[in-house]
């Protein structure tokens, strides 16, 4: 059977990396079937397009995975596939919580023939076999023989054949940057960010988050060896094709067990398996100097930190009191001293937020080393404790907000400001953080570092700007490049002035050096 795994786009932002679930399920598909992957972020497709594809390519089963944010599109695509008589199975965090919605048991129309609840590593092979036999069930739950929920072990972990998978659609380098990047060194034909997981689960249970409910509060890890081998495979691929590969460790808290993280990082270093990587780590775990030393030595370049708020009352409200705003600056300095920078994520519209929260937050951020701040709005995702609390209090203004996804729009009223005020705060935060002046300042603040770091932060800022300001088309990109021309020309002048080759390997250039070893 030919199986299509499809991940919809949200129509607003482009994901910068493919989704791991597709590669994982592809690797877990029983032999004898062919699996095709389409990520709507890289290959945009509409309902007509998917129906045609399924017919022309003789697809026998379509698997669709989606976050809440893309679920409306996912349902429309599923409907189009079912309309041509092909079965659809859906999985992922949204339908796990809203299986009745997907199956049309809540009074709405049916979108999926089957739903895979939770982690599907062990149920997927069964789903495929049932689909072949024509005996698909409505619901597949990860349970043992006694009906008890079973979380798949990550030992063993399937080998994802990164050396063979076609990744053309995920090259992130715009052509217009080629002349500048060529100056950085050979090996810049492609640049891809690949998702890798080293463990699953998070015990913290923050109120707005689905992770503890979905993956559980006990953490399961892959073996160090399996992670190291995956990195070596990716590194070899980048070398063979004269390109760059960076890794996003998608673990929700990569250092949740510090002892184990240190041992993994030591093994990565010992195997010379360093690639540049990003990981999510909560601020409280970054107090450990030795951990940060190892992060830097093992290739860590960007750490995503869910700071959420600079207000301890807000943090306590959402059960994230382990975040201590008083130590944010020290944590970021500790990282920056090792040339590791942070993606700092904030949520506005929390219950203790008042108008002016954006500028108050930005004032703090301006005292930190340059990084990539991102701002979102408090969103009640289905089945989270936050959703339940707001629903019980009658505060949800759009209880089924996912049925009509609007980016950066609240679905409940915060306590101390209006919805419009919250929207305005997010707009201010993005506009002031990603204005050409702010970008120039961030780039200039790294003047004492090698040029590669400055190029890196410029490109990253231009890309991150697109999370809020529509930047999907060529024209939008050209406009953004025009607005930032001073900073871009400054770097080009420095690059062609010879400064670049004198520079030590940097965020941007180091993998080239490593990969040529
Ligand atoms: C990496 C990641 C991202 C990446 C993008 C996704 C990518 N390209 O990988 C980035 C950083 C860009 C991102 C952004 C956002 N993310 Co995010 N992200 C994650 C993260 C950390 C890992 C995803 C992952 O690969 N997991 C590992 C795989 C193996 O698990 P999985 O995807 O769930 O797949 C398993 C099952 O669900 C199932 N399955 C999944 N799909 C399918 C399909 C079929 C057919 C079947 C049978 C089974 C199946 O089988 C898989 C194997 O067991 C998750 C948290 C988490 N731990 O999952 C959050 C998570 C998915 N993100 C979330 C959110 C909210 C967001 C944002 C909206 C945040 C924000 N406020 O801006 C944005 C939106 C992005 C967008 N473009 O629309 C939520 C989604 C909750 C929800 N109900 O939708 C999660 C769960 C985290 C959370 N805090 O709750 N994210
Ligand atoms: S927000 Fe992060 S730390 Fe909190 S429960 Fe979710 S994954 Fe864990």
């Amino acid at each position: 059977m030919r199986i299509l795994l499809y991940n919809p786009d949200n129509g607003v932002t482009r994901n910068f990396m493919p989704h791991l679930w597709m590669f994982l399920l592809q690797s877990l598909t029983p032999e004898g079937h062919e699996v095709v992957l389409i990520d709507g972020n890289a290959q945009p497709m509409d309902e007509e397009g998917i129906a045609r594809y399924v017919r022309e390519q003789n697809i026998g089963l379509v698997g669709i995975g989606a976050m809440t944010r893309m679920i409306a599109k996912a349902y429309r695509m599923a409907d189009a596939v079912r309309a041509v008589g092909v079965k659809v199975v859906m999985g992922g965090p949204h339908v796990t919580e809203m299986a009745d919605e997907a199956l049309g048991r809540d009074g709405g129309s049916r979108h999926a023939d089957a739903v895979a609840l939770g982690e599907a590593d062990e149920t997927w092979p069964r789903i495929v076999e049932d689909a072949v036999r024509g005996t698909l069930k409505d619901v597949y739950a990860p349970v043992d023989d006694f009906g008890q929920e079973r979380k798949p072990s990550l030992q063993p972990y399937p080998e994802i054949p990164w050396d063979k998978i076609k990744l053309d659609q995920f090259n992130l380098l715009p052509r217009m940057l080629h002349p500048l990047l060529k100056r950085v060194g050979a090996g810049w034909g492609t640049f891809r960010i690949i998702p890798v997981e080293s463990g699953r689960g998070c015990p913290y249970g923050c109120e707005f988050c689905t992770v503890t409910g979905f993956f559980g509060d006990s953490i399961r890890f892959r073996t160090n060896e399996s992670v190291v081998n995956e990195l070596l495979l990716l590194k070899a691929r980048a070398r063979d094709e004269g390109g760059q590969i960076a890794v996003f460790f998608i673990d929700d808290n990569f250092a949740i067990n510090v002892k184990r993280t240190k041992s993994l990082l030591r093994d990565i270093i010992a195997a010379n398996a360093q690639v540049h990587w990003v990981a999510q780590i909560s601020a409280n775990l970054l107090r450990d100097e030795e951990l940060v030393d190892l992060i830097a030595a093992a290739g860590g370049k960007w750490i995503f930190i869910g700071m959420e708020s600079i207000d301890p009352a807000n943090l306590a409200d959402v059960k994230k009191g382990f975040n201590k705003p008083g130590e944010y600056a020290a944590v970021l300095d500790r990282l920056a001293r090792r040339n590791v920078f942070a993606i700092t994520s904030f949520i506005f519209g929390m219950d203790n937020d008042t108008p002016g929260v954006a500028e108050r937050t930005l004032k703090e951020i301006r005292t930190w080393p340059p990084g990539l701040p991102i701002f979102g709005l408090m969103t009640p995702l289905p089945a989270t404790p936050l959703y339940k609390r707001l629903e019980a209090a009658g505060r949800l203004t759009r209880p089924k907000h996912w049925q009509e996804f609007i980016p950066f729009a609240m679905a409940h009223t915060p306590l101390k400001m209006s919805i419009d005020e919250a929207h305005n705060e997010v707009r201010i935060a993005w506009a002031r953080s990603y204005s050409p002046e702010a970008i120039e300042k961030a780039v200039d603040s790294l003047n004492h570092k090698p040029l590669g770091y400055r190029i890196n932060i410029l490109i990253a800022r231009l890309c991150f700007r697109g999370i809020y300001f529509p930047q999907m088309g060529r024209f939008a990109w050209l406009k953004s490049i025009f607005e930032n021309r001073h900073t871009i020309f400054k770097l080009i002048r420095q690059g062609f002035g010879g400064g670049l080759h004198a520079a030590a390997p940097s965020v941007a250039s180091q993998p080239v050096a490593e990969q040529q070893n």
Side-chain angles (χ1 to χ4, degrees):
M1 184 168 59
R2 292 196 90 199
I3 303 168
L4 167 65
L5 297 180
Y6 171 75
N7 197 97
D9 58 297
N10 61 44
V12 184
T13 52
R14 284 256 161 87
N15 275 350
F16 52 86
M17 70 168 173
H19 289 262
L20 181 60
W21 71 265
M22 306 173 97
F23 300 103
L24 203 51
L25 295 195
Q26 185 180 33
S27 311
L28 291 165
T29 303
E31 282 196 17
H33 304 287
E34 189 192 344
V35 182
V36 200
L37 310 182
I38 295 185
D39 188 326
N41 292 291
Q43 291 186 55
M45 213 175 232
D46 60 10
E47 290 88 318
E48 218 176 284
I50 200 164
R52 195 171 41 241
Y53 185 89
V54 162
R55 266 196 322 263
E56 286 173 0
Q57 299 296 318
N58 196 23
I59 301 289
L61 176 70
V62 176
I64 302 182
M67 297 183 200
T68 295
R69 188 177 156 104
M70 305 109 169
I71 203 69
K73 168 93 187 244
Y75 288 155
R76 288 198 301 276
M77 298 299 263
D79 295 347
V81 171
R82 295 181 76 233
V84 294
V86 174
K87 299 277 183 204
V88 171
V89 50
M90 296 187 76
H94 184 86
V95 296
T96 293
E97 307 302 350
M98 305 295 294
D100 285 351
E101 179 184 85
L103 292 167
R105 292 171 171 175
D106 66 344
S109 51
R110 183 171 186 150
H111 307 287
D113 295 287
V115 165
L117 303 181
E119 295 171 62
D121 309 53
E122 290 173 359
T123 45
W124 175 245
R126 251 195 297 135
I127 294 172
V128 172
E129 270 148 23
D130 284 358
V132 171
R133 282 195 298 264
T135 57
L136 261 187
K137 295 179 199 47
D138 283 359
V139 176
Y140 290 83
V143 289
D144 61 20
D145 294 343
F146 306 101
Q148 297 294 314
E149 188 186 21
R150 184 166 68 192
K151 299 282 181 204
S153 158
L154 300 187
Q155 307 195 356
Y157 190 81
E159 240 178 62
I160 302 181
W162 291 118
D163 49 341
K164 297 187 196 81
I165 294 178
K166 272 183 84 178
L167 292 170
D168 302 350
Q169 50 180 324
F170 301 112
N171 186 8
L172 292 176
L173 286 185
R175 260 166 220 267
M176 63 185 93
L177 288 177
H178 282 182
L180 180 60
L181 290 168
K182 267 193 195 149
R183 299 280 300 174
V184 179
W188 273 98
T190 54
F191 176 54
R192 300 192 184 93
I193 303 182
I194 300 296
V196 171
E197 63 182 335
S198 84
R200 287 186 200 164
C202 176
Y204 287 163
C206 303
E207 195 194 29
F208 52 82
C209 180
T210 60
V211 168
T212 306
F214 187 93
F215 289 101
D217 56 7
S218 67
I219 299 122
R220 288 151 288 146
F221 295 117
R222 289 170 65 181
T223 60
N224 288 358
E225 193 191 1
S226 135
V227 178
V228 167
N229 286 343
E230 191 164 350
L231 296 181
L232 287 171
L233 200 63
L234 288 166
K235 196 169 169 174
R237 175 169 183 157
R239 188 182 47 232
D240 292 349
E241 64 185 21
Q244 303 289 322
I245 278 182
V247 159
F248 191 132
F249 282 114
I250 56 92
D251 307 36
D252 290 292
N253 210 333
F254 185 61
I256 191 72
N257 178 332
V258 173
K259 199 168 153 215
R260 176 262 171 188
T261 307
K262 286 182 180 174
S263 116
L264 172 61
L265 296 175
R266 285 195 190 98
D267 283 1
I268 290 173
I269 297 165
N272 193 22
Q274 293 101 321
V275 293
H276 285 176
W277 51 264
V278 186
Q280 315 186 93
I281 302 181
S282 53
N284 56 324
L285 300 172
L286 292 163
R287 291 174 192 140
D288 188 321
E289 297 278 349
E290 188 189 29
L291 173 69
V292 182
D293 277 340
L294 287 166
I295 288 173
K301 291 293 163 194
W302 290 95
I303 302 297
F304 183 108
I305 305 178
M307 292 188 158
E308 326 305 5
S309 176
I310 55 164
D311 177 355
N314 271 333
L315 292 165
D317 253 8
V318 297
K319 313 277 177 293
K320 199 153 183 173
F322 57 86
N323 264 9
K324 305 288 177 210
E327 68 176 357
Y328 289 170
V331 161
L332 298 177
D333 283 335
R334 188 171 298 127
L335 290 170
R337 279 200 300 279
R338 278 101 169 164
N339 294 323
V340 179
F341 295 93
I343 302 166
T344 49
S345 167
F346 296 91
I347 301 175
F348 293 156
M350 288 186 164
D351 279 351
N352 205 38
D353 278 347
T354 52
V357 61
E359 190 45 46
R360 284 194 295 279
T361 308
L362 291 176
K363 213 170 139 198
E364 286 283 311
I365 293 176
R366 288 186 198 110
T367 67
W368 300 340
L372 294 169
I374 54 177
F375 310 92
L377 284 158
M378 194 67 164
T379 306
L381 293 168
T384 55
L386 173 71
Y387 192 97
K388 291 173 191 156
R389 172 165 70 87
L390 294 173
E391 187 179 38
R395 290 177 59 197
L396 294 174
T397 51
R398 294 188 297 132
K400 297 219 166 171
H401 52 90
W402 51 89
Q403 289 182 345
E404 195 198 342
F405 169 62
I406 313 170
F408 296 99
M410 291 203 71
H412 74 282
T413 315
L415 283 184
K416 297 186 178 174
M417 58 180 166
S418 68
I419 288 181
D420 283 347
E421 282 169 337
H423 292 175
N424 194 38
E425 292 300 323
V426 169
R427 192 191 54 75
I428 290 172
W430 279 98
R432 294 187 188 162
S433 302
Y434 289 85
S435 67
E437 298 73 34
I439 292 180
E440 185 168 8
K441 218 166 157 193
V443 172
D444 286 351
S445 72
L446 289 178
N447 267 342
H448 56 296
K449 303 265 185 196
L451 183 59
Y453 286 96
R454 277 167 279 149
I455 295 175
N456 187 275
I457 197 155
L458 171 69
I459 295 174
R461 284 253 176 166
L462 291 179
C463 293
F464 269 55
R465 189 187 168 280
I467 297 174
Y468 185 81
F469 299 104
Q471 201 164 269
M472 298 261 276
R474 186 173 289 227
F475 179 74
W477 264 102
L478 286 174
K479 185 166 171 271
S480 172
I481 286 170
F482 180 75
E483 287 169 356
N484 288 280
R485 63 192 179 282
H486 288 304
T487 315
I488 294 171
F489 285 137
K490 208 189 292 180
L491 292 183
I492 290 176
R493 269 199 306 276
Q494 289 170 18
F496 284 91
L500 192 62
H501 292 297
S506 65
V507 177
S509 59
Q510 193 174 310
V512 178
E514 278 168 5
Q515 285 157 14
Q516 285 169 344
N517 281 343

